[in-house]
Amino acid sequence: IVIVTHVQPDGDAIGTTLGLANALRAAGKSVDIAVDGPVPGYLRFLPGVATFHSALTSGEWDVFISADSSDAERTGECGAYARAHSRVEINLDHHVTNTVFGDIKLVVSEAVSAAEVAYDFLTTAGYAIPVESAKGLLTGMVTDTIGFRTSNVVPRTLDIARDLMERGASLTEITALTLDTRSFDSLLVWREALNSLKLEDGVISASVSFEVFRALHADPAIDLNLSGFLVKVEEA
């Protein structure tokens, strides 16, 4: 099995991939995981993160799982290689914009995160969810709901989170490391982006060019969470 998530991965992308991989590995499956480029630093606490490949140049697989990607192109070069060298592709996602690609579609737009879809897949198929898997899945849910504060959170969302906590995932640790921690580089980029802040017809926006990232020697894939900050503005 090979699991690939989308380029410029967020907490749901990495958490879902590791949630699936750790559970399938515990069941005796041979699993490779990949994503174009590095895993964001704030997610490197997750079990199994060191097994990510930043590129795929060899290998053949029975199953390719595209995790948290709304379209095939979002899986990048790793996804293109895996797709060309796998017998079956599973599209596991939650985005309403999903283009419904792949041979098997596990796309649930009502889910708060791809991690929720992965949780339902694993539990329905009868796989055990070890603590290493639970940490990844809970990370995906926490980050995509901004700590269970988005409008698509329903009682069952919290039921799943409770189950993952009972399996050993710490909500306190995950929240602290993903939502309450940021790098100094990200603040430098924020400083530049906020210079372009606009509010027009109830829509708030800010922009930052790649030249700014280069000047600051900051990674363009850095997790800014700037949109999550801006959306809190009362008039927006």
Side-chain angles (χ1 to χ4, degrees):
I1 301 168
V2 59
I3 308 172
V4 180
T5 191
H6 61 75
V7 297
Q8 295 188 330
D10 55 10
D12 191 26
I14 299 300
T16 298
T17 301
L18 289 172
L20 288 167
N22 288 330
L24 294 171
R25 287 167 176 165
K29 306 296 182 182
S30 175
V31 184
D32 291 312
I33 57 176
V35 63
D36 284 16
V39 174
Y42 75 100
L43 295 170
R44 291 176 187 159
F45 73 96
L46 289 171
V49 73
T51 64
F52 264 101
H53 296 282
S54 59
L56 293 176
T57 56
S58 63
E60 299 284 336
W61 299 273
D62 296 311
V63 179
F64 162 38
I65 302 176
S66 169
D68 194 37
S69 295
S70 57
D71 56 77
E73 290 72 21
R74 283 278 287 159
T75 56
E77 294 181 7
C78 286
Y81 187 92
R83 189 169 291 108
H85 294 82
S86 300
R87 296 180 183 178
V88 175
E89 180 177 2
I90 297 176
N91 172 6
L92 189 151
D93 188 34
H94 73 113
H95 294 101
V96 69
T97 54
N98 190 280
T99 57
V100 199
F101 60 94
D103 302 298
I104 299 172
K105 293 86 172 175
L106 298 179
V107 180
V108 184
S109 59
E110 296 81 12
V112 300
S113 62
E116 179 181 339
V117 183
Y119 171 89
D120 283 340
F121 164 69
L122 292 170
T123 54
T124 300
Y127 288 102
I129 299 180
V131 59
E132 295 83 2
S133 178
K135 287 181 178 180
L137 296 177
L138 188 56
T139 295
M141 296 184 71
V142 166
T143 53
D144 252 26
T145 62
I146 318 176
F148 304 107
R149 292 182 292 174
T150 52
S151 60
N152 56 354
V153 171
V154 296
R156 184 172 183 270
T157 311
L158 302 181
D159 289 339
I160 295 172
R162 181 182 64 182
D163 183 53
L164 294 172
M165 292 171 67
E166 290 174 347
R167 295 174 190 267
S170 169
L171 179 61
T172 302
E173 175 191 35
I174 290 169
T175 301
L177 293 176
T178 60
L179 299 184
D180 298 336
T181 303
R182 66 185 71 255
S183 67
F184 183 67
D185 280 353
S186 71
L187 292 183
L188 292 177
V189 178
W190 269 42
R191 182 182 65 186
E192 299 301 320
L194 290 177
N195 282 327
S196 66
L197 191 63
K198 296 179 181 179
L199 180 66
E200 298 175 340
D201 298 325
V203 177
I204 193 167
S205 66
S207 63
V208 57
S209 69
F210 280 109
E211 284 69 27
V212 168
F213 286 94
R214 296 188 188 101
L216 296 174
H217 304 290
D219 182 0
I222 194 171
D223 184 66
L224 293 175
N225 195 26
L226 181 58
S227 59
F229 174 74
L230 297 180
V231 78
K232 296 175 183 177
V233 171
E234 182 178 359
E235 296 87 350

